Amino acid sequence: MTSPRFSFTLHATDGKARTGTIAMQRGEIRTPAFMPVGTAATVKAMKPEAVRATGADIILGNTYHLMLRPGAERVARLGGLHKFMNWPRPILTDSGGYQVMSLSELRKLTEKGVEFRSHLDGSKHMLTPERSMEIQRLLGSDIVMAFDECPRADRPKDEIASSMELSMRWAKRSREGFDSGEEHAARAALFGIQQGALHEDLRRISAEKLIDIGFDGYAVGGLAVGEGQEAMFATLDFAPDMLPEDRPRYLMGVGKPDDLVGAVERGIDMFDCVLPTRSGRNGQAFTWNGPLNLRNARFAEDTGPLDDRCACPVCTTYSRAYIHHLVKSGEMLGAMLVTEHNLSFYQALMQGMRDAIAAGRFASFASDFRRDYLHAKA
Ligand SMILES: [Zn+2]
């Protein structure tokens, strides 16, 4: 029996929280899922087999970075992103739209797309919905994201509205571009992205337009762009409900452990964020009792593990004192160990949420989590 192109099966719901499985040809994705970010064809400081050992079913790759270096055509000639980086499981690629707006220079936005200069060497590029679909196809992406524009949430409402309308026209062109790649389209999935910032009426219009086009999954975009957790949760109180129940819902670019719990509580199934890896390189460890800054002198002679509730290879082997020393000395092993622990912690948090939803005890899981994580002494 061949694996399906894409299927999503819900196993249990508890309040708005859901747990299920996405099945794809390269493997299954347990939801709620956290996707480590592999920006430049690497989850920084981690070998792919170690990423898998943390419990990750899927990773994210960045179209913007990969199109500039090493280039999508080159990755395709080398056999695709999975082979190139030795990650045989599903990969989701973003569309490049968000990073063009946040990283590149001299952008020119038109109906056609975005013209920009590379932040690496100043070279000129054009990203359109069609080119974004082509790049994600060349990379061999399993879950392709529609090309959109993500404005800051604090822009005036009329700007947010016209940006959302543009993104919806681009979503239609993304659908057509994706479908034109017949062989790839037969084994990959395409997600649409809801926009509309914090506005309920715009979010509803966006959802309706996306559903009309039809996607395998739906992302809530345009959040985690500086609006703060309270405003994000207020939007998540209504935005996911507008998206089809029988499709996965993906909150892009989120977030802190307490963001993940609050978003799952509001019906989100998938996440990605650089936080566990970036923090790992900065000596910040996430634990069930809140984040720890390993640079702090109080860890200099602490023989305990990063987290005494964590079963990861770092916590069963190395002391806070040793990791403090590595981080203080700028040793790369410090970044590697804290990253590995952080990704393990994030996956353990997702597993904890999946188990709690399946057992119908998500509310108590969430309140226990908040008691320990948010009320811990930093
Ligand atoms: Zn650990």
Side-chain angles (χ1 to χ4, degrees):
M1 199 182 98
T2 55
S3 312
R5 179 187 64 86
F6 184 89
S7 75
F8 179 51
T9 309
L10 274 176
H11 304 313
T13 58
D14 186 1
K16 285 188 182 181
R18 304 127 59 89
T19 183
T21 305
I22 297 169
M24 299 194 75
Q25 292 186 3
R26 284 194 173 95
E28 294 194 338
I29 303 155
R30 296 162 289 174
T31 68
F34 180 80
M35 302 183 278
V37 177
T39 303
T42 162
V43 176
K44 291 189 197 301
M46 294 282 287
K47 286 185 178 173
E49 50 270 40
V51 174
R52 174 58 183 162
T54 66
D57 294 330
I58 177 170
I59 61 170
L60 179 143
N62 284 124
T63 284
Y64 173 83
H65 291 281
L66 294 168
M67 73 181 278
L68 296 179
R69 190 172 59 194
E73 278 75 9
R74 176 167 292 164
V75 172
R77 286 194 297 276
L78 294 169
L81 187 55
H82 298 79
K83 183 174 176 222
F84 185 52
M85 68 178 290
N86 185 34
W87 175 265
R89 291 177 176 276
I91 296 177
L92 179 147
T93 47
D94 65 7
S95 72
Y98 177 76
Q99 274 152 341
V100 164
M101 299 316 282
S102 60
L103 291 178
S104 71
E105 291 160 7
L106 297 169
R107 298 171 298 269
K108 197 175 136 203
L109 178 76
T110 61
E111 182 69 30
K112 189 170 173 226
V114 191
E115 198 178 72
F116 64 96
R117 285 191 187 276
S118 160
H119 73 290
L120 296 174
D121 60 6
S123 58
K124 215 168 165 181
H125 299 267
M126 179 86 189
L127 207 44
T128 63
E130 293 76 18
R131 178 59 181 157
S132 175
M133 295 305 107
E134 183 180 30
I135 291 169
Q136 295 182 73
R137 180 161 62 239
L138 287 163
L139 297 173
S141 173
D142 300 284
I143 300 181
V144 170
M145 298 305 298
F147 186 69
D148 67 344
E149 199 216 353
C150 178
R152 288 180 51 95
D154 59 2
R155 302 305 300 160
K157 190 175 176 185
D158 60 332
E159 275 183 40
I160 300 280
S162 58
S163 166
M164 179 274 286
E165 293 286 352
L166 175 66
S167 286
M168 296 307 102
R169 294 192 294 278
W170 285 359
K172 181 93 168 41
R173 285 167 55 191
S174 295
R175 176 82 256 178
E176 290 161 3
F178 176 88
D179 290 340
S180 73
E182 292 168 6
E183 191 201 349
H184 177 248
R187 57 183 171 77
L190 179 65
F191 281 23
I193 306 173
Q194 182 199 44
Q195 291 290 351
L198 312 179
H199 306 286
E200 187 167 358
D201 53 344
L202 300 182
R203 288 272 171 193
R204 184 168 301 284
I205 294 167
S206 179
E208 283 167 1
K209 287 177 187 274
L210 292 174
I211 292 165
D212 194 45
I213 299 166
F215 292 94
D216 296 304
Y218 295 83
V220 177
L223 292 178
V225 290
E227 73 281 2
Q229 191 188 63
E230 198 183 332
M232 179 174 82
F233 282 172
T235 304
L236 291 177
D237 281 337
F238 54 75
D241 298 336
M242 299 169 178
L243 302 171
E245 260 184 62
D246 62 349
R247 300 295 163 108
R249 301 160 177 166
Y250 163 29
L251 180 58
M252 304 182 78
V254 173
K256 300 192 301 291
D258 46 311
D259 293 333
L260 303 186
V261 174
V264 167
E265 207 163 31
R266 290 166 174 82
I268 296 291
D269 307 302
M270 299 169 73
F271 302 90
D272 80 277
C273 192
V274 296
L275 201 60
T277 42
R278 180 176 291 164
S279 298
R281 300 194 300 285
N282 294 329
Q284 186 186 45
F286 292 98
T287 80
W288 293 100
N289 292 107
L292 301 178
N293 179 357
L294 269 298
R295 292 183 176 278
N296 195 310
R298 73 186 167 103
F299 300 118
E301 298 193 10
D302 187 336
T303 56
L306 288 177
D307 186 343
D308 56 17
R309 286 170 63 186
C310 180
C312 89
V314 178
C315 289
T316 53
T317 312
Y318 301 99
S319 66
R320 289 174 170 184
Y322 180 56
I323 295 169
H324 165 79
H325 159 72
L326 294 175
V327 169
K328 286 287 281 186
S329 311
E331 288 289 342
M332 67 174 82
L333 184 59
M336 292 164 62
L337 294 180
V338 185
T339 299
E340 184 171 4
H341 162 77
N342 282 349
L343 287 179
S344 302
F345 170 76
Y346 265 63
Q347 295 300 341
L349 176 61
M350 305 317 290
Q351 185 64 53
M353 288 197 277
R354 291 192 293 262
D355 291 344
I357 296 164
R361 52 175 179 79
F362 186 73
S364 69
F365 176 91
S367 73
D368 289 352
F369 168 80
R370 290 189 188 105
R371 178 199 62 211
D372 296 342
Y373 188 85
L374 297 174
H375 298 151
K377 269 215 208 102

